[in-house]
Amino acid sequence: MNLHGIRAIYLFEMARTWRTLMQSVASPILSTALYFVVFGAAIGSRVGEIDGISYASFIIPGLLMLSLLSESISNASFGIYFPKFSGTIYEVLSAPVSPLEVVIGYVGAAASKSVILGLLILATARLFVDYEIAHPLLMVSFLLLTAITFSLFGFIIGLWADDFQKLQIIPMMVIMPLTFLGGAFYSISMLPPFWQKVTLFNPVVYLISGFRWSFYGVADVNISISVSMILVFMLLCLTTIWWIFKTGYRLKN
Amino acid sequence: MESIISISDLGKTYASGLTALSDINLDIHRGEIFALLGPNGAGKTTLISIICGIVTPSAGTVSVDGHDILTDYRATRSKIGLVPQELATATFESVWAQMEFSRGLFGKPPNPSFLEQVLRDLSLWDKRDAKIMTLSGGMKRRVLIAKALAHEPQILFLDEPTAGVDVELRHGMWEMVRALRASGVTIILTTHYIEEAEEMADRIGVINEGKLGVVEDKNVLMNKLGKKQLTLTLQYPLELIPTELAGHPLELASDGHALVYTFDAQQEHTGIAELLRQLDQHGIGFKDLHSSESSLEEIFVNLVSEKA
């Protein structure tokens, strides 16, 4: 295994994060803090409790997931798209690194950045809301699993995209609506019965529900189903990436 | 001569249906400078890209130092350094960070003293902390060369290395390439500057429309295909070439003040003696004469136009 190669890609990508600290860390923390102020403190005080949890605490896992998904996707997609756009991808393609090593380098860096960001958001939330984490180990595992899976997904988008618009279209037009409609700000039991069934087709429901369970021990859907869903999605992403490298799609021809 | 790269029946047809290469058979000798000449779109960059692993071949095989480029890509790619045609470099990174990145990417452990030497050799040491976006085009080109050398390759591909580079820097690069060859590195370069190939190459391959035409030792190629011209400056200008001389490959030049005779220097009988005798017979006097050889550029143009 080319460990030096993995390290080089990982450090290059992380250096990009530190170089763009305001954009990559400060901005998501600020926007999440605003969510807490508006939805948690201002509106939340009028909403009352959901499943025995104060509204401000209830929205923490959903907000964290919202940032985690969008940041994982944008970090990983930009990380691989930009070398394609600028032409510097030639160096990675001509290097003695396997597709798996390339993925570990790029996706590992994107996921690391998302996890760091997630933990920072969690710390920021503490400034506004008191919360406890019922299953800290599971919470961290969920955080890691989600960051890796959606970084893999972002990596696919970055490989597929051939212009900047395509890079934005899935995070903006698909992920954002699915997260808002996936129970980030409400429990799905609050929906009319018909929409409760429809919402189960939204994969983000399972992520938010499982993540909320790791915080408060309450969930809209069974935790094992949530974990299975994310593992299935991860497997799908890995298979797609394997196919892309095998065929050279949008990379080699 | 021992070959370091062996290419057999190589072909590449893109998904669009465009055939960029077909039936390429070529051996690159260890330690030589090989120049690949060809017009735009001839397939030079595709050929290099396949050997380096950037483009997947449609047919044929390539082995580098005995290793297949597809099944044993780690071994082949670690031996190769590539300087691409485009100035594709990370913009916001420092020169030093990029050197470390390139070395690591190719699986080599850190070696700051080696990287320092490479940068010094390319007069980039003073710029090691500069962001690449602040460098001039010529410096960026040198950064690309430095990056390609960062992992100590045995084979270096230079795809149009001196495109857009001023004359002084070009000569500096030629010296660097010669020094690399002296240290045992095999060099394959593509160029539009025929002068560059003529100056540096040991062997030359001409590629056109995806097919490899001539592959020959540079001197042999020039001897074999080079034509000589004898120019006679006339005492009195001619309006037409006399019909008695029509059998000779003659042209009038300088408004009739000169006669240009083209001949094959390799042939035993060049026909010069006969021409001079006939000129004397017809009272055509000349006050000066000189001969010239065709340049590699002219040879190249002839080869490409013959194929077309």
Side-chain angles (χ1 to χ4, degrees):
Chain A
M1 199 161 206
N2 183 353
L3 293 177
H4 291 296
I6 296 174
R7 182 174 172 272
I9 295 173
Y10 183 87
L11 291 180
F12 177 85
E13 281 300 295
M14 289 309 280
R16 191 164 59 81
T17 305
W18 309 133
R19 217 172 34 236
T20 54
L21 212 58
M22 285 301 284
Q23 178 201 325
S24 51
V25 179
S27 163
I29 288 178
L30 178 69
S31 58
T32 314
L34 288 172
Y35 275 119
F36 281 122
V37 171
V38 175
F39 291 101
I43 298 175
S45 58
R46 307 269 177 114
V47 176
E49 291 189 344
I50 299 175
D51 296 335
I53 307 156
S54 76
Y55 187 68
S57 305
F58 180 85
I59 63 171
I60 290 173
L63 281 178
L64 204 59
M65 205 47 92
L66 182 67
S67 293
L68 204 64
L69 299 192
S70 59
E71 287 301 313
S72 297
I73 291 173
S74 66
N75 289 337
S77 60
F78 192 80
I80 190 67
Y81 174 76
F82 198 69
K84 284 200 319 169
F85 171 75
S86 66
T88 55
I89 192 75
Y90 84 87
E91 204 175 9
V92 175
L93 293 177
S94 64
V97 284
S98 68
L100 180 66
E101 289 156 0
V102 172
V103 171
I104 293 173
Y106 278 106
V107 171
S112 301
K113 187 174 149 185
S114 297
V115 169
I116 292 169
L117 191 72
L119 294 175
L120 285 172
I121 289 173
L122 210 54
T124 311
R126 194 73 183 172
L127 301 173
F128 301 94
V129 193
D130 268 341
Y131 60 84
E132 282 180 10
I133 301 169
H135 308 284
L137 209 63
L138 262 170
M139 190 281 284
V140 171
S141 308
F142 228 92
L143 196 71
L144 278 172
L145 212 57
T146 310
I148 293 169
T149 303
F150 279 80
S151 295
L152 286 168
F153 185 54
F155 192 75
I156 294 170
I157 294 173
L159 289 171
W160 164 75
D162 51 13
D163 59 39
F164 278 96
Q165 186 173 286
K166 282 185 179 167
L167 208 59
Q168 295 294 334
I169 204 159
I170 291 183
M172 292 300 290
M173 304 300 285
V174 180
I175 299 299
M176 183 77 91
L178 285 182
T179 314
F180 269 84
L181 298 172
F185 297 101
Y186 55 83
S187 164
I188 60 171
S189 61
M190 294 160 79
L191 298 172
F194 172 74
W195 290 107
Q196 282 189 29
K197 293 221 166 26
V198 172
T199 205
L200 290 176
F201 288 99
N202 177 358
V204 180
V205 164
Y206 300 89
L207 296 178
I208 294 176
S209 170
F211 200 43
R212 189 171 285 137
W213 182 87
S214 72
F215 275 75
Y216 309 121
V218 290
D220 289 325
V221 288
N222 190 296
I223 179 69
S224 56
I225 296 176
S226 291
V227 174
S228 306
M229 283 296 282
I230 194 160
L231 288 174
V232 165
F233 191 49
M234 182 189 254
L235 205 65
L236 272 174
C237 290
L238 283 170
T239 311
T240 309
I241 291 173
W242 171 81
W243 175 82
I244 287 173
F245 275 102
K246 189 170 181 287
T247 57
Y249 172 78
R250 295 275 168 108
L251 264 180
K252 291 205 170 191
N253 293 306
Chain B
M1 270 220 172
E2 188 195 356
S3 73
I4 193 163
I5 298 176
S6 288
I7 302 168
S8 304
D9 305 323
L10 190 69
K12 174 67 190 175
T13 302
Y14 287 101
S16 62
L18 172 80
T19 299
L21 292 175
S22 58
D23 295 326
I24 303 285
N25 288 285
L26 176 66
D27 279 290
I28 305 289
H29 303 154
R30 190 182 295 276
E32 74 172 337
I33 299 178
F34 186 89
L36 199 56
L37 302 182
N40 286 333
K44 303 186 295 287
T45 300
T46 301
L47 179 57
I48 287 180
S49 299
I50 288 175
I51 301 169
C52 293
I54 298 168
V55 170
T56 312
S58 310
T61 57
V62 180
S63 69
V64 175
D65 212 10
H67 303 276
D68 184 83
I69 56 159
L70 296 178
T71 56
D72 205 0
Y73 69 93
R74 283 190 201 270
T76 63
R77 293 184 195 174
S78 61
K79 292 174 196 293
I80 296 174
L82 168 65
V83 182
Q85 194 173 333
E86 302 293 328
L87 283 176
T89 52
T91 320
F92 306 104
E93 295 276 305
S94 73
V95 172
W96 186 255
Q98 272 295 288
M99 290 296 284
E100 286 185 317
F101 171 75
S102 296
R103 187 173 171 86
L105 192 63
F106 279 75
K108 287 281 167 80
N111 186 345
S113 57
F114 175 76
L115 295 185
E116 179 182 337
Q117 194 54 51
V118 173
L119 289 181
R120 284 190 188 280
D121 289 347
L122 286 159
S123 309
L124 284 168
W125 180 242
D126 293 342
K127 296 286 179 187
R128 63 189 177 281
D129 296 322
K131 282 186 179 176
I132 293 172
M133 63 193 288
T134 63
L135 303 180
S136 67
M139 280 183 188
K140 283 180 186 159
R141 180 77 60 188
R142 275 184 281 159
V143 170
L144 285 177
I145 296 175
K147 276 162 65 67
L149 295 173
H151 65 281
E152 303 165 57
Q154 294 175 23
I155 303 162
L156 184 65
F157 282 94
L158 296 159
D159 197 359
E160 304 279 352
T162 52
V165 164
D166 65 40
V167 177
E168 194 183 345
L169 187 57
R170 191 179 301 167
H171 284 267
M173 280 196 190
W174 291 354
E175 274 177 36
M176 183 213 72
V177 169
R178 285 197 195 94
L180 278 171
R181 196 263 293 270
S183 71
V185 177
T186 306
I187 290 149
I188 298 106
L189 64 92
T190 72
T191 181
H192 273 114
Y193 299 106
I194 309 292
E195 181 196 3
E196 198 159 83
E198 198 168 348
E199 177 76 24
M200 293 207 299
D202 299 312
R203 286 197 308 149
I204 287 168
V206 177
I207 190 167
N208 191 31
E209 293 177 350
K211 292 198 165 109
L212 196 61
V214 179
V215 177
E216 195 64 90
D217 180 277
K218 179 186 69 187
N219 297 323
V220 174
L221 185 68
M222 292 192 68
N223 282 337
K224 202 189 276 184
L225 299 171
K227 287 184 176 164
K228 276 196 159 186
Q229 287 188 323
L230 176 72
T231 305
L232 301 154
T233 308
L234 303 175
Q235 281 178 330
Y236 303 103
L238 289 174
E239 282 186 12
L240 289 167
I241 296 171
T243 47
E244 295 85 349
L245 300 175
H248 296 285
L250 280 170
E251 279 177 57
L252 268 179
S254 308
D255 291 331
H257 285 88
L259 264 179
V260 180
Y261 175 68
T262 306
F263 62 99
D264 186 345
Q266 297 300 302
Q267 289 203 351
E268 202 172 325
H269 300 290
T270 58
I272 292 174
E274 174 66 14
L275 174 70
L276 295 181
R277 198 180 56 76
Q278 286 190 5
L279 287 174
D280 188 44
Q281 264 181 5
H282 295 94
I284 302 171
F286 54 92
K287 53 187 178 187
D288 189 23
L289 81 170
H290 74 269
S291 69
S292 60
E293 255 177 303
S294 25
S295 68
L296 194 53
E297 180 157 0
E298 287 160 334
I299 296 173
F300 170 66
V301 169
N302 285 338
L303 279 171
V304 170
S305 56
E306 272 170 26
K307 296 268 170 195

